[in-house]
């Protein structure tokens, strides 16, 4: 049986994080987190073992971009979840995938399938 793809889930809204973690688990993924604070997300991005990530762009008023920078450095694919206008996103991140919140789990799963590491599909 193949090993589940591990996803770092960074989301500061507790109920949304719990629902998303459950839906991802039900879809066959293994969830790392969820993590709702920037300092903890940075630490997890540096030290934890996972295959890809879902990043809420705003964690209690702090931008998640330092986490994205670490993931880029590590070569870990990710998708941003945001309720903000794309004009607020630094240009270096515009080539990455974004989903507008609120979003359906189907859209999340579709984006994850597009960024999944080749050896996991």
């Amino acid at each position: 049986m193949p090993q589940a793809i591990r996803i770092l889930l960074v989301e500061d809204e507790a109920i949304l994080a719990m629902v998303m973690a459950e839906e991802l688990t039900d879809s066959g993924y293994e969830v790392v987190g969820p993590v709702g604070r920037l300092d903890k997300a940075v630490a997890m991005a540096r030290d934890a073992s996972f295959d890809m990530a879902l990043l809420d762009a705003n964690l209690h008023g702090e931008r998640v971009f330092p986490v994205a920078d670490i993931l880029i450095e590590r070569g870990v694919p990710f998708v941003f979840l945001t309720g903000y206008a794309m004009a607020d996103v630094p240009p270096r991140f515009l080539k990455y995938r974004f989903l507008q919140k609120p979003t359906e789990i189907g859209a999340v799963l579709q984006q994850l399938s597009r960024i999944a590491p080749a050896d996991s599909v």
Side-chain angles (χ1 to χ4, degrees):
M1 184 168 164
Q3 186 174 350
I5 296 173
R6 294 172 49 88
I7 298 177
L8 173 63
L9 176 57
V10 178
E11 172 60 60
D12 65 347
E13 295 179 39
I15 293 173
L16 179 58
M18 288 179 2
V19 169
M20 188 163 294
E22 184 176 326
E23 290 174 333
L24 290 168
T25 301
D26 289 349
S27 297
Y29 292 98
E30 183 179 335
V31 176
V32 177
V35 182
R37 289 189 13 215
L38 184 60
D39 59 340
K40 290 188 184 263
V42 165
M44 293 287 283
R46 280 192 189 123
D47 302 327
S49 174
F50 51 89
D51 304 299
M52 45 189 185
L54 280 172
L55 306 177
D56 181 358
N58 182 347
L59 301 173
H60 301 290
E62 294 183 289
R63 299 303 180 115
V64 77
F65 302 129
V67 175
D69 285 330
I70 293 166
L71 297 179
I72 292 166
E73 197 173 287
R74 288 184 62 183
V76 175
F78 60 89
V79 175
F80 288 108
L81 301 171
T82 184
Y84 291 89
M86 294 304 288
D88 296 331
V89 175
R92 73 183 187 275
F93 294 116
L94 293 176
K95 65 182 177 182
Y96 296 94
R97 298 183 183 272
F98 283 80
L99 284 172
Q100 286 293 117
K101 289 166 76 176
T103 188
E104 298 291 323
I105 189 63
V108 172
L109 295 173
Q110 183 179 39
Q111 291 302 318
L112 290 175
S113 71
R114 290 181 176 160
I115 68 166
D119 60 353
S120 66
V121 275

